[in-house]
Amino acid sequence: MNQHATTPAARVIPIAPDSGTAYGRAAPSYQKELAEVGAGTPMGELLRRYWHPIGLSSDASDTPRQLRVLGEDLILFRDKSGRPGLVYPHCAHRGTSLFYGRVEERGIRCCYHGWLYDVQGHCLDQPCEPEGGRARDKLRQPWYPLQELYGLIWVYMGPPEKKPVLPRYECLEVLDEGEFLETNDASIGGGGPTVIACNWLQHYENLVDPFHVVILHSSFSGMQFAEQMALMPEVTWELAEHGVRTISLRKLPDGKTLRRISEAGLPTLRVIPSPRLGRFGRVESLGWVLPIDDHSFRIYVVGRVREPGELSKMRTRMNGKLWEEMSEAEHQKSPNDVEAMVSQGVIAHHSQEHLATSDRGIVLLRRLLQKQLAALKEGKDPLGVSFDPAAPPVHFTAGNFLLD
Ligand code: FES
Ligand SMILES: [Fe+2]
């Protein structure tokens, strides 16, 4: 039988004249002052008032390593007396990169004419000059101060007179029975590769977006976390001592309530309790979003664990596969945070957004960042920096809590 003969006549739907088409739309733009991280930009200067993790302690060795941090290219090394150093790549003599330098007891020696610099950029030797360089004290190789804590190397890249104390955190200082600290540099929680190819703010804003957990992580791409996370939460956001706090309440089938509190701490801190709900109680790990430049970022995580390798097990798998093991077609079928964030644009198109009630956390976070930019302009210090070495460790209220 001819199939067309059985198809009922199409109902004619009246169509209004075309409007709202893609034609003639405005070019997208973004909020430069929030997104860009280079030296001299508003956010770049705000970020430079805080310490940032830039590598594992083991990344600093006698093999110089090229890094990019907040849009600046730098060379990381560890001299043979054990001190880590971070210097501008181009040798103060005639610009050869110290990437090709040789690490010695007292610092790093340039391969071209052998000038030797210590971890604070002092020039200690100029072997081709009379007396090893009579004027060598007059120059300085640009450098940044480093500290080591929690298995990470931290840098302060701001004005020296504004250098705050490197913060310590209660949730990493006070360990429960059987716990020890583990450090991870694989950008766990970013859902993809170690270096994620979009602006850092997209991930930072993701921290105050608990609703995407219900869609992206709990149904769209299968169930990635604990099944309770698939329940639609009742969410409130509020300003906290160090950033924006998100409180998500979920009524569980057994009558109990899951109270999940997370925080986005200024300027890049991720205080997110595990969505796998392995155990309840205070937050077990902290993550720091490191803006590499305007177009890429990575994440360092430190957590309290009970078994070696526990943090890397937190990396999301889709049908048993890690992100890099999946084909492009599989990524399209099962997108993760990385696909959601990178496809917003290398820098998200803020001018084209339509923020809704579920985005109140993002609005609050952007306002808080704007407020810090204004504070800096007025010569004030931004939220959360401390100059008191005796201050107690920073405490967060974050965690997964079961209420009757
Ligand atoms: S360029 Fe480095 S010592 Fe000459
Ligand atoms: Fe996510």
Side-chain angles (χ1 to χ4, degrees), residues 61-79:
S61 73
D62 55 10
T63 302
R65 196 180 178 104
Q66 284 175 305
L67 298 183
R68 179 174 280 193
V69 182
L70 305 181
E72 297 187 39
D73 289 314
L74 298 160
I75 302 292
L76 177 69
F77 68 98
R78 186 186 297 276
D79 71 18

Side-chain angles (χ1 to χ4, degrees), residues 189-234:
T194 301
V195 174
I196 300 175
C198 68
N199 186 258
W200 70 284
L201 189 62
Q202 277 137 262
H203 186 64
Y204 192 50
E205 291 182 345
N206 177 279
L207 307 183
V208 293
D209 177 3
F211 286 103
H212 88 278
V213 173
V214 181
I215 307 300
L216 181 70
H217 296 301
S218 304
S219 59
F220 206 93
S221 295
M223 189 78 85
Q224 293 175 14
F225 302 148
E227 58 185 22
Q228 294 95 315
M229 298 306 288
L231 299 167
M232 195 58 83
E234 210 176 276

